[in-house]
Every structure is written in C-alpha cells, then in structure tokens.
Amino acid sequence: MNDFSSVPTTVKAQENNTVLLPCYLNTASNDGAFVTAVRWYKDEDLIVDSADEQVPLPEGHMLWENGSLEIFRVKPNDTGVYICEIIRPEPWSPIKQRHAIEVLHPPSVEPFPPNGFLQVKLGEEVRMSCKGSGVPYPIITWTTKGEEIKLLNHRELLKFTASDRQMAGIYECKAVNGVGEPATDQIELNIIYPPELMTSRSWIHSAPGLRVQLECKISADPQATVTWTKGDIPVPLDSRVQSLVDGDKYTLLIRNVQRSDFGIYTCKAINELGQGELQIQLSGVPNPGVFKKTEDKNLNSKNSYTLIWEVDSYTPIIEYNLWFQPYKPKTGLSKPDWTKLTIPTEHSSGPVYSKSYTIRGLKEKTIYEALLVSRNRYGWSKPSPILRFATVGADLTEEIITPVQHHSQDNIIPLDLSSTSPKTSAVSFLMFIMGIINCYFSY
C-alpha cells in the first residue's frame, strides 16, 4: 500500500507563477505513525528541514503543516527535481516522494564562434555551433541561402567539409520550444581559396592594325596579384598595350595590333594560398569554318551534294582544304578513308568569306562526313566542326545532318602548308593527316 496520499508530479509553470508541491501521508497505511520531520531537497541539495532551524527556508518558499512546499513567483533557476522526505520514529523508516518543476521560458541560443564569423580554407573542415537553452529544451534547426539544411537530428553542432567555395555565406540557427518567440542567430562563413581563372575566349582572331582585348576573369580570396606574360617574358606595358582591371575582370588591351603581337599570352594570378594561370592565343589565322545547312534539296542528287560554309577572317582567305569520307559508325577500329579537295577562294571584301562547293561522284544512299580548314597569309585554321550529310535516298535524321563538334578536334592544328620546300611541305602534310586520323579514332 502507498505510504503517501500525495502523488509524484511534474509541474510546468510560467515564470512568476506560484507552485505547490504536495507531500503528506496516507494515514490509513501509516497506522497512526507520527511525523518526526519533513525535509525537502532540490537536485539533491537540502533546502528545507522542519526539525532544524539551522536550515532556513529559501526566499519565496513556504513549508505547510502537512509537509507541502509552496514556491512563490517561480524563476527559471527554480527548475529542477524536488524530493520530499518524511522522517518517522522507530520502527518506521523514512520515506521519499519525487516531484519536479519546469519553469517555462523562451529559448535562447549562443553561437560559436561567439563573434558570428568563421573563416576556413577551401577543403578544410567547418565546425560551427549554436548552444540552445530554454524550458523545455529547444529544437535547433539550420538554414542557409533561404533553405533548411537537412540533418538526421536537430544538432547544435554543424560540421562539414568546405569542398566548394559556394558553401560560403550566412548560416542561421533557430531554437524553438513552444514558449514565446523562437530565438535565432547567424554565423557568417568565409571560405578562402587560391585563384580560379576563366575566359570566354581562349583563341582570338585578329589582324594588324586592329584593336583586341584579352580577358581573364579571376576569383580569389585573398585577392590575387595578376600579371600578363607572353612566353616567359612579362608583357611590356605602354600607351599601346595596357593592363586594365574592372572588378574581377582583368583585361590586356592591345591597340593597333602588330604581327609581333601574335602568340600565346598567359594570365597568371597568385595569392597566399596558391596560384593559377590561363593561356589565351592571339592569332592571325582564320577562325574555324562553319558549315551551313543546305535547305534547297534541288542542289543535291543521288551522286552529289552541295556544301555551303562561312569563314571569318580579317585577312583574305587564300584557299580551303575540304576533307570528306563515308560515315562509319562507332563499330570496331575501321581505318579512315578521307579524301582531300583543295578549293580556291573567291574575291570577298571580308571579314566573312562564303563558299559553296558540290562534291560529285558520291555513292548513292550513303551518309558522309566532312570538315574544312582554311588558309590566309598567317597559316591554316583549326578544323571546322564535323558535318554529317547524306546523298538522296539515305535515312536522313536530325542527328545526321547536324554538325558534330568533337573536343579532340582542338588538338588538330594544321600546319602552314605554304612552304616552298618540298620536304617541309610533305612533313607538314603528313602531320596534318595524322591529326585527322587521331580525330577520327577519338570518336
């Protein structure tokens, strides 16, 4: 039988409320036993002893004759576990009953780092935290860039690897416990990293007398020191050649281009975390040609096909080399069967040179592929994107007639075949053929 008439209870109280913790015996089960003393403990510390005047009642506390404890205007520090102990004479032993008070109060958070700013290197571990407090204990959530971070549980500690500099930004923690308003705080994460370089054009076509801009976009933290070199020599700056900066865009401006300006330029950026570089080629050779889709079906027959192309060149085009072969799907390692046609240019005021050419003697109902290179006084262009076309009767699909660009073609740089030396011309021509073969096998 239970010795207490009171029952264990947990009281959830708003701040400044009054709380009564009961503690009285069941007279029937105690058979008239006398109560020698009543003691109250808070979190195992004695706070009240009815038989000992040396233990004064804390301020705002009152002990009733039946042993109950009343606390006026509770504060957050009154939260805790309270034990009521009743002392009885022999042969009865002391008995205890457990109660608890939870003084409800709104949540709060304490961020770490305390100043709300954290800086790490790219690739390092990030550790930030928001220590929550409040009754009941709050739930902690994190958001960044307007989106909640999905975590397996509501953690005070946020830990991850700064694998991408886009992870930098404001991280907000929020504590919610259903009492009052949520508490929030912010930590700004800054990720420092070595220079990263980009350019919209790594190959620029020009001609003597023109004006060009070589642009290099640089991202770095800390800010990078930027230099321009041609070969291994810093670019000499003067009124004609100038280095300009606009935010993260670094520009090498060349006025009145001279033939000696042609070559490979390197944009170099360095900060305390590392360095990066990017190459931009300034050249007088033509831009790669572009095949135009043939809309007029009357131009083509079962044994012929008319190709139309355009080439951008500030310097007059001297000639074209048109390469074509039957299209071979990606089956096995069939050898290439390229045929080369040398096609003279036509007079044009430039800088756009257009040309059409009809290839005759083709096979019926056959799919072909072609590419084009062109030459001006400065040399041969890079190859055009490969064009797939078909003679009348072949199964034409959008995929077949669309120009196909292969990344490996960037490695095909036809050499200048205009040399008057037969030996040099033959070697150059062989190297060009090998480039075409490598291109073919790459896809």
Side-chain angles (χ1 to χ4, degrees), residues 14 21 41 59 163 186 188 212 241 244-245 250 272 406:
Q14 298 286 345
L21 301 178
Y41 299 85
E59 183 180 358
S163 57
Q186 293 182 339
E188 180 183 356
V212 296
V241 181
L244 308 176
V245 181
Y250 292 76
E272 61 189 58
H406 300 287

Side-chain angles (χ1 to χ4, degrees), residues 201 203-207 210 212 262 281-287 312-315 351 376 378:
R201 294 190 299 167
W203 189 90
I204 298 176
H205 172 65
S206 187
L210 298 181
V212 296
F262 293 148
Q281 183 174 5
L282 179 63
S283 176
V285 303
N287 281 290
D312 291 340
S313 177
Y314 290 118
T315 305
N376 64 15
Y378 297 107

Side-chain angles (χ1 to χ4, degrees), residues 66-107:
N66 64 1
S68 298
L69 179 67
E70 187 172 13
I71 305 175
F72 303 96
R73 300 179 64 82
V74 292
K75 302 296 182 184
N77 58 6
D78 291 319
T79 296
V81 175
Y82 290 77
I83 302 295
C84 166
E85 182 183 34
I86 294 181
I87 311 299
R88 300 176 296 180
E90 297 290 345
W92 293 280
S93 60
I95 54 176
K96 295 181 180 181
Q97 189 172 70
R98 182 184 183 281
H99 301 280
I101 296 177
E102 291 184 2
V103 180
L104 306 179
H105 64 94

Side-chain angles (χ1 to χ4, degrees), residues 98-364:
R98 182 184 183 281
H99 301 280
I101 296 177
E102 291 184 2
V103 180
L104 306 179
H105 64 94
S108 62
V109 288
E110 182 181 347
F112 180 84
N115 62 358
F117 180 79
L118 177 62
Q119 180 171 285
V120 300
K121 296 178 182 178
L122 185 67
E124 286 187 340
E125 183 181 71
V126 175
R127 295 174 68 94
M128 62 178 72
S129 66
C130 269
K131 183 178 181 181
S133 61
V135 179
Y137 189 80
I139 292 174
I140 305 294
T141 57
W142 293 85
T143 58
T144 183
K145 297 178 173 66
E147 296 184 2
E148 182 176 343
I149 301 174
K150 302 299 182 182
L151 301 173
L152 295 178
N153 48 51
H154 300 287
R155 294 190 295 228
E156 292 183 347
L157 175 65
L158 193 59
K159 182 172 67 172
F160 58 90
T161 300
S163 57
D164 188 332
R165 61 184 180 86
Q166 300 302 322
M167 292 178 173
I170 301 296
Y171 287 75
E172 181 178 88
C173 62
K174 180 168 70 171
V176 177
N177 70 349
V179 180
E181 296 296 324
T184 62
D185 215 317
Q186 293 182 339
I187 298 174
E188 180 183 356
L189 174 64
N190 184 46
I191 300 176
I192 57 177
Y193 54 96
E196 298 176 1
L197 295 80
M198 294 186 300
T199 185
S200 58
R201 294 190 299 167
S202 59
W203 189 90
I204 298 176
H205 172 65
S206 187
L210 298 181
R211 175 182 182 273
V212 296
Q213 292 186 166
L214 283 62
E215 295 181 353
C216 183
K217 186 175 181 181
I218 300 175
S219 298
D221 191 356
Q223 186 174 355
T225 300
V226 179
T227 58
W228 288 91
T229 61
K230 184 183 179 189
D232 295 326
I233 303 174
V235 176
L237 303 177
D238 52 30
S239 59
R240 188 180 70 87
V241 181
Q242 295 181 318
S243 178
L244 308 176
V245 181
D246 181 11
D248 61 354
K249 185 172 70 174
Y250 292 76
T251 302
L252 186 66
L253 172 64
I254 305 177
R255 298 183 177 91
N256 189 23
V257 169
Q258 301 173 4
R259 183 163 186 167
S260 60
D261 293 325
F262 293 148
I264 297 176
Y265 293 78
T266 301
C267 174
K268 294 183 178 181
I270 184 170
N271 68 7
E272 61 189 58
L273 300 179
Q275 64 180 8
E277 62 180 44
L278 183 149
Q279 291 186 335
I280 302 175
Q281 183 174 5
L282 179 63
S283 176
V285 303
N287 281 290
V290 177
F291 286 106
K292 299 298 180 179
K293 185 176 178 181
T294 304
E295 300 290 349
D296 188 353
K297 296 182 179 180
N298 295 325
L299 294 176
N300 307 315
S301 70
K302 62 182 181 180
N303 298 115
S304 66
Y305 195 92
T306 299
L307 296 175
I308 301 174
W309 62 81
E310 288 183 353
V311 177
D312 291 340
S313 177
Y314 290 118
T315 305
I317 298 295
I318 298 173
E319 63 179 336
Y320 304 100
N321 277 354
L322 177 64
W323 297 79
F324 69 96
Q325 69 170 357
Y327 168 66
K328 300 178 180 65
K330 303 175 184 177
T331 55
L333 294 176
S334 55
K335 294 182 179 179
D337 187 23
W338 292 98
T339 297
K340 186 191 85 165
L341 298 175
T342 299
I343 302 171
T345 187
E346 296 177 356
H347 175 73
S348 173
S349 59
V352 178
Y353 292 79
S354 300
K355 181 72 176 179
S356 65
Y357 186 85
T358 301
I359 305 176
R360 305 185 189 279
L362 301 174
K363 297 178 182 179
E364 296 183 23

Side-chain angles (χ1 to χ4, degrees), residues 325-338 365-369 386 388-389 395 397 399-400 404 406 439-443:
Q325 69 170 357
Y327 168 66
K328 300 178 180 65
K330 303 175 184 177
T331 55
L333 294 176
S334 55
K335 294 182 179 179
D337 187 23
W338 292 98
K365 301 178 182 179
T366 303
I367 299 170
Y368 287 85
E369 55 189 358
I386 288 179
R388 290 177 187 165
F389 64 93
D395 183 16
T397 64
E399 180 181 2
I400 292 298
V404 179
H406 300 287
C439 170
Y440 181 82
F441 280 115
S442 69
Y443 68 90

Side-chain angles (χ1 to χ4, degrees), residues 288-291 370-373 381-387 404-405 409:
V290 177
F291 286 106
L371 63 82
L372 178 78
V373 292
S381 71
K382 292 184 179 181
S384 69
I386 288 179
L387 172 75
V404 179
Q405 174 71 61
Q409 292 179 21

